[in-house]
Amino acid sequence: MKKFCLTLMILLSGIFMLHSEYIHQMSKPLELQAAYGQVAYVSVTPIPAQGQSYIQGMPFNIEESYVLSTITDENGKVIPGSENGRLIANWSLISNTKVKLRISVNPMKHVSKNSSELSYYLHFTYLAGYTNAGGDEIPLNTEYFNIPMKDNDPVTVVRSDNPDSGYANIYEVDPFAEVSADFSNEENMSYIGSLDGGIYFQFDEVSTELIYKEKGNADSTSIPAGNYTAWVLIEMVSQE
């Protein structure tokens, strides 16, 4: 009899567990970063568009509001765009040497047909970690920059107008420029820093106006239907 009661209690307990509210548990990967000796590393990871209900990643529709700038049409109507564009990739950097980023870009064009060249902005955001030789954290005020330069971005133009490299425009930027003076000599150097952030894509005002004007025009020769692509090269170069 005791054995029967115990079996019945276990059975009822299993039934209660089956009917209890299910709690969904989420898990996310954790990337551990470390370095030793002389280090200079940059990584870019494209985001596939299939995630997050297609509101981020690549490929994307060039007519969607996420990738357009705010413009005013010929009737004075304001056509709202996005603030910084569409998130298309994640990027990270770690370095204990004096380096800067060199970013080379080409305009976006149709892959097989003659079309207008579409110019755009790349908005780089980042959260940075920075310490001096004593291990003290140094705060950074800058958390983003744009290619090409907007407002007071710490970006310089290296070359433009179709250089021999094959890229139409080349820019340089130092994400840690505001504290570079702390490392005037090797004795003061610890890790210059590390960062993680996102890369956002947005057409500039000129391209946005053209896309808006040709929207819905199946016979457009300047913005024909089909696939569009552009090449971007991100390099780390030593500072002079």
Side-chain angles (χ1 to χ4, degrees):
M1 187 67 177
K2 291 182 179 180
K3 184 176 181 180
F4 172 76
C5 292
L6 179 61
T7 304
L8 181 61
M9 290 176 62
I10 294 175
L11 179 61
L12 290 175
S13 176
I15 294 174
F16 291 144
M17 290 175 63
L18 288 174
H19 288 277
S20 62
E21 183 179 354
Y22 174 70
I23 300 176
H24 179 66
Q25 294 191 9
M26 296 181 63
S27 62
K28 294 184 178 180
L30 173 65
E31 180 181 4
L32 302 180
Q33 283 189 333
Y36 175 75
Q38 192 175 60
V39 176
Y41 170 81
V42 63
S43 173
V44 177
T45 306
I47 298 174
Q50 286 79 4
Q52 298 295 322
S53 301
Y54 290 86
I55 63 174
Q56 66 182 28
M58 298 181 289
F60 52 80
N61 182 355
I62 67 171
E63 293 182 338
E64 70 175 25
S65 60
Y66 291 110
V67 295
L68 300 180
S69 296
T70 299
I71 59 172
T72 303
D73 66 12
E74 62 275 10
N75 299 318
K77 179 182 178 181
V78 176
I79 310 299
S82 62
E83 181 178 359
N84 293 318
R86 176 187 177 104
L87 179 63
I88 60 170
N90 295 314
W91 74 298
S92 62
L93 178 153
I94 184 169
S95 175
N96 68 341
T97 59
K98 294 181 180 180
V99 296
K100 53 188 172 183
L101 292 176
R102 179 173 293 166
I103 303 173
S104 307
V105 300
N106 272 336
M108 181 169 283
K109 294 183 63 177
H110 196 285
V111 295
S112 59
K113 299 178 181 179
N114 291 326
S115 67
S116 297
E117 294 186 345
L118 301 175
S119 49
Y120 52 86
Y121 292 107
L122 293 176
H123 182 74
F124 288 74
T125 65
Y126 60 91
L127 294 174
Y130 201 116
T131 62
N132 59 22
D136 299 322
E137 294 184 3
I138 303 175
L140 288 176
N141 296 318
T142 305
E143 297 177 349
Y144 66 88
F145 61 87
N146 297 276
I147 301 295
M149 181 178 66
K150 281 184 179 181
D151 302 325
N152 297 319
D153 290 335
V155 176
T156 58
V157 178
V158 179
R159 287 186 298 186
S160 60
D161 300 327
N162 297 312
D164 295 336
S165 66
Y167 289 91
N169 296 286
I170 302 177
Y171 307 91
E172 288 185 352
V173 59
D174 179 5
F176 303 114
E178 63 184 83
V179 288
S180 293
D182 291 337
F183 296 93
S184 57
N185 58 68
E186 295 295 325
E187 293 181 358
N188 292 331
M189 284 187 105
S190 177
Y191 279 105
I192 284 187
S194 63
L195 59 83
D196 289 282
I199 303 176
Y200 295 75
F201 178 96
Q202 181 182 39
F203 289 110
D204 65 10
E205 292 79 2
V206 174
S207 295
T208 297
E209 289 176 356
L210 179 60
I211 293 171
Y212 179 76
K213 178 182 177 182
E214 298 294 324
K215 188 174 184 178
N217 182 7
D219 299 323
S220 174
T221 56
S222 56
I223 309 291
N227 294 329
Y228 287 74
T229 187
W231 285 98
V232 177
L233 176 65
I234 301 177
E235 305 171 274
M236 295 184 74
V237 296
S238 61
Q239 297 203 37
E240 301 295 339

